[in-house]
Amino acid sequence: MNQETKVANELQEMMTRNLVPVSVQEDINEICEGLKDGSLTLNELENGDSFVVETIHRAMNQVGKNQ
């Protein structure tokens, strides 16, 4: 499983546990789809909305801890 898929899975888990602000949940759903289907990379997301980027970084950190 590649890094993008791992982060997408973690983001979805975070949403299930209500750890993602409501204001960015729709964006995170779209990002998860893009990461999983290969149309987005983690690098492409670095310059987005600061709340979205912060949420993605939290997911990336969690994935890193679980490896």
Side-chain angles (χ1 to χ4, degrees):
M1 186 179 321
N2 67 24
Q3 188 72 7
E4 279 80 4
T5 301
K6 290 178 184 177
V7 171
N9 289 341
E10 181 61 29
L11 286 167
Q12 289 176 324
E13 180 64 27
M14 289 170 64
M15 287 201 317
T16 300
R17 295 181 307 205
N18 293 319
L19 299 175
V20 174
V22 174
S23 61
V24 298
Q25 286 182 359
E26 186 175 329
D27 292 333
I28 294 297
N29 271 327
E30 292 174 15
I31 287 168
C32 288
E33 289 176 25
L35 289 172
K36 285 185 173 186
D37 71 17
S39 63
L40 279 176
T41 66
L42 293 171
N43 288 337
E44 291 174 322
L45 300 172
E46 286 299 317
N47 296 321
D49 177 271
S50 62
F51 291 113
V52 172
V53 171
E54 179 183 332
T55 302
I56 292 167
H57 284 178
R58 287 190 357 237
M60 290 172 65
N61 288 336
Q62 191 61 36
V63 166
K65 290 178 186 177
N66 292 335
Q67 290 183 350

